[in-house]
Amino acid sequence: MKKPTSVPTMKDVAREAGVALGTVSKVVNGLPVGESYRIKVENAIKKLDYQVNHYAQGLKANKTYTIALLIPNTVEPFFAALVQHINQLLLQRNYRMLLCTTDSDSSQEQKYATMAQQNKVDGIIGLTYNPNLSIEENTPFVSIDRSMGPHIPCVACDNFAGGQMAAEKLYDLGCRNVAFLRIGSSLTNEPNKRKAGFENGCLNRKLSYEMKILDDGDSLSFFDQFLSEHITNGKLSFDGIFCVTDRIAYHVIKFLKRMQIRVPEDVQIIGFDGIRILGNSDYICSTIVQPIPEIAQMCIELLLQENLPAKPPLVCLPVSYAAGGTTKDCP
Amino acid sequence: MKKPTSVPTMKDVAREAGVALGTVSKVVNGLPVGESYRIKVENAIKKLDYQVNHYAQGLKANKTYTIALLIPNTVEPFFAALVQHINQLLLQRNYRMLLCTTDSDSSQEQKYATMAQQNKVDGIIGLTYNPNLSIEENTPFVSIDRSMGPHIPCVACDNFAGGQMAAEKLYDLGCRNVAFLRIGSSLTNEPNKRKAGFENGCLNRKLSYEMKILDDGDSLSFFDQFLSEHITNGKLSFDGIFCVTDRIAYHVIKFLKRMQIRVPEDVQIIGFDGIRILGNSDYICSTIVQPIPEIAQMCIELLLQENLPAKPPLVCLPVSYAAGGTTKDCP
């Protein structure tokens, strides 16, 4: 299938422009040349449809204009949206993006980390819960949701503020006895702060709460069991539930429907993430929305060092609340 | 952020293995050498953790071990799942995948096509409705859902069979007067065949049907209007609806709920695509499921010419039916 190449070379451009080969090279590599030369070369490039050979250029300039994105998968809506936004922002900057989904083979991550150490990609944006992944200190790496060490910037939404917002919102909507359903990761990470934020919000509002915490990997049916124990004569003792993810909220809403407990009339529910059905339709539930476009933007600014003098170790971006049909503030 | 490289070179491997530099080069490039030499080199590569420089290798062997995927976005669940499966299969083969989402800038597609023509990527898998995209005949390109010409393989699900299956299934579930809701693309493409398949299925079962066809870009609310015109005294005259996508089905189900028409008791609904909430949870509706893992696999086999002597112009892969709560066959 390979085609014999008859594409224009840098020499052809030099001939067309009537300038020296070195002048073309300077223009292509963004080095300063006289304005009239630059215009001649650019016109010749346009006329011949000359394409810069990025592989040759990469070898020379030690720059590949390629960023790798490590992400567990693209099927979970939160990840899918991150991939979309990061991809768009890179393409706008004439960067290419290598995608590496890591759910089924986490050993891939180390390969890409090594590529970045060897300048085979210009940098990595990674969302990883792989405890064995080792990133050398000076590897150009920006992490999402989990700190990889003090010298590697981590970008996340403000999970603490989001947890607090959920508690205060439930109180303000009339809830007085709420449940907090959470699956915790054993790894230190930013989303774990939703718990502390929620507790703080409850404290602020003097809102009483009960917590049910599962371990990563536990079946969601343990939440059903917990809620069942709080149902007496068909009535749930909680009037509000904060679920640490929209996925848990979706599960709980289905369970309560089976138990004929009405949402939001009998119990109001708030999730976290801001997931929409079909990617861009209705919210799954009332939810704390992660600022995905802003997370993507910040990752790229940090990695490419745009507008930023130094690399902060942790950047937390503001969340917002969206009514999604499982609270009493919905039309 | 760039680190001074002190990584092992091919020379270091040759020294460690006690062989000539040319022998290392042969092993790295997959050329035949004596078994004992190959083992020596491989052991040295392992010991030194030597990484092949794919950029240098790409220049030499005219092979980049990189495939580009062009896809409108990663947010629509069907696209998200395709990206996931294609990515996994490429990584398993030690290929890297460049992702290019094209919704917001379709001019990107031509750039990647040019890269493939110039052997800067080994090939492209593309799902595109860009009528201006021109792919040269001998570019390594595999298309999804839309034929780009007789010399470029196109992979799709069997859309005709899926449409027929929907009609026959509605009949077999008791429907006798059905509606077909469709948004048609002006571009010739494989999903357009769902219509002909559905009509054929209705003919087979002697099932009467009415069609409402919108143009690409029309508001889904025209379907609401069409259905309203078929409601008399709160009763819908159709007992079955085939929606040409799950997205349309989702919209229609919400509309019928507002009109207090019960699904599936009053009207049964079948969609197309097999979309699941949260990527891997419940189906949106009863649906004709696209075989996404098989589509991904076939694209890669065709592009890398695995197990296939020739490139067929069109490959249609079997669909299946899944009950998803909007038909009477659900538990």
Side-chain angles (χ1 to χ4, degrees):
Chain A
M1 285 297 287
K2 293 287 177 187
K3 162 198 177 196
T5 48
S6 64
V7 293
T9 65
M10 214 182 263
K11 276 185 193 165
D12 298 324
V13 174
R15 198 176 306 121
E16 175 69 32
V19 303
L21 188 58
T23 308
V24 179
S25 170
K26 278 182 185 167
V27 172
V28 163
N29 290 293
L31 300 173
V33 298
E35 180 69 4
S36 65
Y37 287 102
R38 194 178 52 73
I39 291 171
K40 276 184 195 169
V41 171
E42 285 177 353
N43 286 341
I45 285 175
K46 225 175 189 171
K47 186 171 172 195
L48 299 178
D49 193 24
Y50 170 73
Q51 304 281 333
V52 178
N53 185 331
H54 278 289
Y55 288 98
Q57 209 188 21
L59 278 175
K60 230 188 282 178
N62 226 1
K63 212 165 151 67
T64 61
Y65 299 96
T66 306
I67 300 294
L69 175 63
L70 311 180
I71 196 119
N73 61 67
T74 65
V75 174
E76 297 247 3
F78 173 64
F79 299 147
L82 265 179
V83 170
Q84 167 79 2
H85 285 281
I86 291 171
N87 190 254
Q88 286 294 318
L89 292 168
L90 286 172
L91 294 176
Q92 281 166 21
R93 285 158 177 75
N94 285 314
Y95 272 76
R96 292 172 299 203
M97 189 187 97
L98 288 171
L99 177 68
C100 177
T101 56
T102 57
D103 252 354
S104 65
D105 180 7
S106 64
S107 73
Q108 291 281 350
E109 294 176 322
Q110 198 63 56
K111 272 198 216 173
Y112 282 80
T114 305
M115 279 170 68
Q117 279 152 26
Q118 299 178 346
N119 298 339
K120 286 171 193 167
V121 295
D122 292 354
I124 297 182
I125 298 171
L127 194 164
T128 168
Y129 285 86
N130 176 358
N132 302 315
L133 178 61
S134 110
I135 305 293
E136 286 187 28
E137 206 177 277
N138 47 6
T139 302
F141 194 106
V142 172
S143 176
I144 300 174
D145 271 1
R146 181 179 152 233
S147 174
M148 309 288 290
H151 298 281
I152 293 170
C154 173
V155 179
C157 78
D158 191 338
N159 287 283
F160 185 94
Q164 177 165 337
M165 188 183 284
E168 296 178 356
K169 184 58 80 171
L170 284 171
Y171 181 90
D172 296 347
L173 288 166
C175 300
R176 290 300 176 265
N177 182 30
V178 303
F180 175 44
L181 307 185
R182 171 172 184 256
I183 295 182
S185 170
S186 52
L187 275 178
T188 304
N189 65 54
E190 289 303 311
N192 279 350
K193 294 181 183 169
R194 295 173 191 177
K195 172 176 171 288
F198 182 78
E199 294 178 294
N200 196 52
C202 288
L203 200 68
N204 282 352
R205 292 286 197 272
K206 299 189 172 45
L207 175 60
S208 77
Y209 63 95
E210 196 164 331
M211 243 186 244
K212 176 65 183 176
I213 300 188
L214 301 186
D215 290 329
D216 215 358
D218 281 352
S219 162
L220 291 182
S221 64
F222 287 114
F223 288 133
D224 304 353
Q225 202 183 311
F226 168 78
L227 291 171
S228 293
E229 290 161 10
H230 290 79
I231 296 175
T232 317
N233 300 326
K235 202 177 161 334
L236 183 68
S237 63
F238 303 115
D239 55 7
I241 302 177
F242 173 46
C243 300
V244 81
T245 65
D246 290 342
R247 182 175 288 277
I248 296 174
Y250 179 75
H251 175 89
V252 165
I253 291 161
K254 284 205 301 178
F255 170 74
L256 292 173
K257 198 175 177 186
R258 284 201 303 278
M259 304 303 285
Q260 298 185 298
I261 289 166
R262 294 168 307 162
V263 178
E265 294 85 349
D266 301 331
V267 59
Q268 301 185 69
I269 297 179
I270 294 179
F272 204 115
D273 281 340
I275 303 304
R276 290 167 182 267
I277 290 178
L278 289 161
N280 54 15
S281 187
D282 306 304
Y283 287 108
I284 295 274
C285 56
S286 296
T287 182
I288 307 299
V289 183
Q290 294 216 48
I292 296 177
E294 289 77 11
I295 291 173
Q297 175 88 29
M298 183 57 68
C299 287
I300 284 168
E301 291 190 0
L302 287 170
L303 195 63
L304 305 182
Q305 289 192 295
E306 294 168 350
N307 313 319
L308 281 162
K311 303 218 168 204
L314 174 63
V315 178
C316 295
L317 297 167
V319 294
S320 57
Y321 166 78
T326 57
T327 43
K328 290 182 182 167
D329 50 354
C330 299
Chain B
M1 284 297 286
K2 294 287 176 184
K3 165 199 175 199
T5 49
S6 65
V7 293
T9 65
M10 214 183 262
K11 277 185 192 166
D12 298 324
V13 174
R15 198 176 305 119
E16 175 69 33
V19 302
L21 187 59
T23 308
V24 179
S25 171
K26 279 182 185 168
V27 171
V28 163
N29 288 294
L31 300 173
V33 297
E35 179 69 5
S36 66
Y37 286 102
R38 194 178 53 75
I39 292 171
K40 276 183 196 169
V41 171
E42 285 178 354
N43 286 342
I45 285 175
K46 225 175 188 170
K47 188 171 169 193
L48 299 179
D49 193 24
Y50 169 73
Q51 304 280 334
V52 178
N53 184 330
H54 279 288
Y55 289 98
Q57 210 187 22
L59 277 177
K60 229 188 284 176
N62 226 1
K63 214 167 148 64
T64 61
Y65 298 95
T66 306
I67 300 294
L69 175 62
L70 310 180
I71 196 124
N73 61 69
T74 65
V75 173
E76 295 247 4
F78 173 64
F79 299 147
L82 264 179
V83 171
Q84 168 79 1
H85 285 281
I86 290 171
N87 190 254
Q88 287 294 316
L89 292 169
L90 286 172
L91 294 176
Q92 281 165 22
R93 285 158 178 75
N94 284 315
Y95 272 76
R96 293 172 299 203
M97 190 187 96
L98 288 171
L99 178 68
C100 176
T101 56
T102 57
D103 252 355
S104 65
D105 180 6
S106 64
S107 73
Q108 291 282 349
E109 294 176 322
Q110 198 64 56
K111 273 198 214 170
Y112 282 80
T114 305
M115 282 171 67
Q117 279 152 26
Q118 300 178 345
N119 299 336
K120 287 170 191 168
V121 296
D122 293 354
I124 296 182
I125 298 171
L127 194 164
T128 168
Y129 285 87
N130 177 358
N132 302 315
L133 178 61
S134 109
I135 305 293
E136 286 188 27
E137 207 179 276
N138 46 7
T139 303
F141 194 105
V142 172
S143 176
I144 299 174
D145 271 1
R146 181 179 153 233
S147 174
M148 308 290 288
H151 298 281
I152 293 169
C154 172
V155 179
C157 78
D158 191 338
N159 286 283
F160 185 94
Q164 177 165 338
M165 189 184 283
E168 295 178 356
K169 184 58 80 173
L170 284 172
Y171 182 91
D172 295 349
L173 288 166
C175 300
R176 291 298 175 266
N177 182 31
V178 303
F180 174 43
L181 306 184
R182 172 173 182 254
I183 295 183
S185 169
S186 53
L187 275 178
T188 305
N189 66 54
E190 290 303 311
N192 278 352
K193 295 182 183 169
R194 293 172 193 177
K195 172 178 171 286
F198 182 77
E199 294 178 294
N200 197 52
C202 288
L203 200 69
N204 281 351
R205 291 286 198 272
K206 299 189 173 47
L207 176 59
S208 77
Y209 64 95
E210 196 164 330
M211 243 185 244
K212 177 64 183 176
I213 301 189
L214 300 186
D215 289 329
D216 215 0
D218 281 351
S219 161
L220 291 183
S221 64
F222 287 113
F223 288 134
D224 305 354
Q225 202 182 313
F226 168 78
L227 291 171
S228 292
E229 290 161 9
H230 289 80
I231 297 176
T232 317
N233 299 327
K235 203 178 159 336
L236 183 68
S237 63
F238 303 115
D239 54 7
I241 302 177
F242 173 46
C243 300
V244 81
T245 65
D246 290 343
R247 181 175 289 275
I248 296 175
Y250 179 74
H251 175 88
V252 165
I253 291 161
K254 283 205 300 178
F255 169 75
L256 293 173
K257 197 175 178 187
R258 285 200 302 278
M259 303 302 285
Q260 298 187 297
I261 289 166
R262 295 168 306 162
V263 178
E265 294 85 348
D266 301 331
V267 59
Q268 303 185 68
I269 297 178
I270 294 180
F272 203 114
D273 282 341
I275 303 305
R276 290 165 181 269
I277 290 176
L278 289 161
N280 55 15
S281 186
D282 305 304
Y283 287 108
I284 296 273
C285 56
S286 296
T287 183
I288 307 299
V289 183
Q290 293 216 49
I292 296 177
E294 289 76 13
I295 292 173
Q297 175 88 29
M298 181 57 68
C299 287
I300 284 167
E301 291 191 359
L302 286 171
L303 196 63
L304 307 181
Q305 289 192 299
E306 294 168 349
N307 313 317
L308 281 163
K311 303 220 167 202
L314 174 63
V315 178
C316 295
L317 297 167
V319 294
S320 57
Y321 167 79
T326 57
T327 42
K328 290 182 180 166
D329 51 354
C330 299

